[in-house]
Amino acid sequence: MQPHVIRSKVANITALMSSPLRRLRFAGWIEGCTLIALLLVAVPLRHFAGFAAATKIMGPVHGLAFIVYIVTLIDAVSGGGWTRKEAVRAGLAALFPFGAFLNDRVVAVKIIQQEAVNR
């Protein structure tokens, strides 16, 4: 890979993780994807195919993603600009399949609002 391509990719990753809200959005996607993989792939493999290793692998992966999501949520909420209702909704969203994806739109709007204020 060319050095300028590597620098460009590093810059993109840096921009993605540049604020608590952006980190929350990224963590929400990861948490949501791991929950869906756990429920729609690993659990059926365990119960219908007898492949218990699927949940033994995917369960801890999702558990780690959930913990990271909660930590990034606390980081984002502690930065201010969140109502109690928004914080509770974001926390509860992690408990339901597709909840993280539904919450993503709200976080995206908060990112846009934050960037408008910072300009």
Side-chain angles (χ1 to χ4, degrees):
M1 224 184 231
Q2 299 292 332
H4 70 281
V5 173
I6 293 171
R7 279 191 296 271
S8 174
K9 291 188 183 290
V10 169
N12 288 342
I13 292 170
T14 304
L16 176 66
M17 300 297 176
S18 64
S19 76
L21 286 174
R22 289 184 180 276
R23 288 189 293 272
L24 176 63
R25 190 172 186 204
F26 181 74
W29 272 91
I30 298 299
E31 191 277 334
C33 289
T34 60
L35 178 59
I36 296 217
L38 179 64
L39 294 178
L40 298 181
V41 177
V43 171
L45 279 174
R46 178 182 184 148
H47 291 288
F48 299 125
F51 189 63
T55 53
K56 288 183 181 178
I57 295 168
M58 203 60 227
V61 169
H62 171 66
L64 179 63
F66 180 79
I67 290 168
V68 169
Y69 176 79
I70 296 301
V71 169
T72 57
L73 176 61
I74 291 167
D75 183 37
V77 169
S78 66
W82 287 72
T83 65
R84 185 178 304 230
K85 181 180 174 183
E86 290 173 328
V88 169
R89 187 206 61 249
L92 290 176
L95 302 176
F96 300 100
F98 302 104
F101 305 118
L102 296 173
N103 191 54
D104 179 66
R105 185 70 200 138
V106 175
V107 175
V109 168
K110 287 185 97 44
I111 290 170
I112 292 168
Q113 291 171 345
Q114 181 186 48
E115 290 176 351
V117 168
N118 292 339
R119 286 186 185 172

